[in-house]
Amino acid sequence: PSHLTEVSYYMFADCSSLESIVWPANATIIDASAFRNCTSLKSIVIPEGITRIESEAFDGCTSLTTVTIPNTVKSIESRAFNACTALTSITIGNGIEYVNSYYSPFNGCSGNLTKFVCHTDNQYILNAFPMADNPQLDTVAAPASYFNIAEANWENMPQNLQYIEVTSGELTADANAFIGHYSKKLKT
């Protein structure tokens, strides 16, 4: 219905046969646990207009492989995509202003992720993404600020990493040098 402005708490929780979502045209919020344990949901393209994704909104969506978060999303709460163990690709727009990093929005999503694309230089979201927990990661596209931050990010880079794309900004000399020493197979 067009009068809905949010996907309410637990609205579709435990709908194990839900495979796709037709979003309400006026929706701006995805409330906590709205799609929790929707184990047949495979792909999510969150529409423009959504501004907030609450805690555990997609918790336990174990078949979810791709998530695309638009530029209109300003806030992502902790564990929003908790235990989405099949995730292979995450794309995040540039509108993020706040991430509850008590627990990463991507907590428990380790193992299968191969591609992380982030268009924001907001350090909260960049620091909330656990590189070390994603050994299959082979592609990272993000602003230079992601690669220019603490060397701890580089120390935990997955061994399969092959492609780095700097989406905006300039790499520092240290980041360039570290990328050069990290692996000859990296492409930027």
Side-chain angles (χ1 to χ4, degrees):
S2 61
H3 66 279
L4 285 177
T5 59
E6 62 186 73
V7 181
S8 299
Y9 296 95
Y10 296 95
M11 184 176 258
F12 297 99
D14 299 315
C15 290
S16 60
S17 61
L18 181 68
E19 293 181 8
S20 63
I21 302 167
V22 177
W23 299 92
N26 296 323
T28 58
I29 298 169
I30 302 171
D31 270 327
S33 302
F35 295 97
R36 183 179 219 172
N37 295 324
C38 291
T39 55
S40 296
L41 193 59
K42 291 182 174 46
S43 177
I44 300 171
V45 176
I46 296 169
E48 293 287 331
I50 298 290
T51 59
R52 203 166 73 216
I53 302 170
E54 294 292 339
S55 296
E56 300 177 353
F58 296 94
D59 179 32
C61 293
T62 56
S63 295
L64 188 61
T65 59
T66 61
V67 172
T68 302
I69 299 170
N71 296 338
T72 57
V73 172
K74 304 292 182 208
S75 169
I76 303 176
E77 290 294 332
S78 63
R79 296 182 178 177
F81 298 93
N82 185 56
C84 293
T85 54
L87 263 180
T88 58
S89 176
I90 298 170
T91 301
I92 299 171
N94 65 8
I96 300 294
E97 295 172 0
Y98 172 77
V99 174
N100 184 333
S101 57
Y102 184 71
Y103 288 104
S104 168
F106 308 104
N107 190 58
C109 294
S110 58
N112 295 313
L113 193 67
T114 58
K115 184 176 182 180
F116 176 68
V117 178
C118 186
H119 296 285
T120 181
D121 61 359
N122 184 300
Q123 293 302 118
Y124 291 111
I125 192 69
L126 298 176
N127 291 334
F129 182 73
M131 284 288 195
D133 294 344
N134 292 286
Q136 300 304 315
L137 191 66
D138 73 2
T139 301
V140 175
S145 59
Y146 184 71
F147 304 106
N148 293 339
I149 60 177
E151 286 184 17
N153 271 359
W154 292 106
E155 292 169 7
N156 295 318
M157 280 289 172
Q159 294 303 309
N160 287 342
L161 189 65
Q162 295 182 46
Y163 303 99
I164 290 176
E165 179 183 342
V166 178
T167 58
S168 64
E170 295 292 324
L171 292 174
T172 64
D174 287 344
N176 262 323
F178 203 91
I179 289 171
H181 287 129
Y182 181 75
S183 174
K184 292 180 181 176
K185 67 180 180 177
L186 285 177
K187 297 173 177 65
T188 57

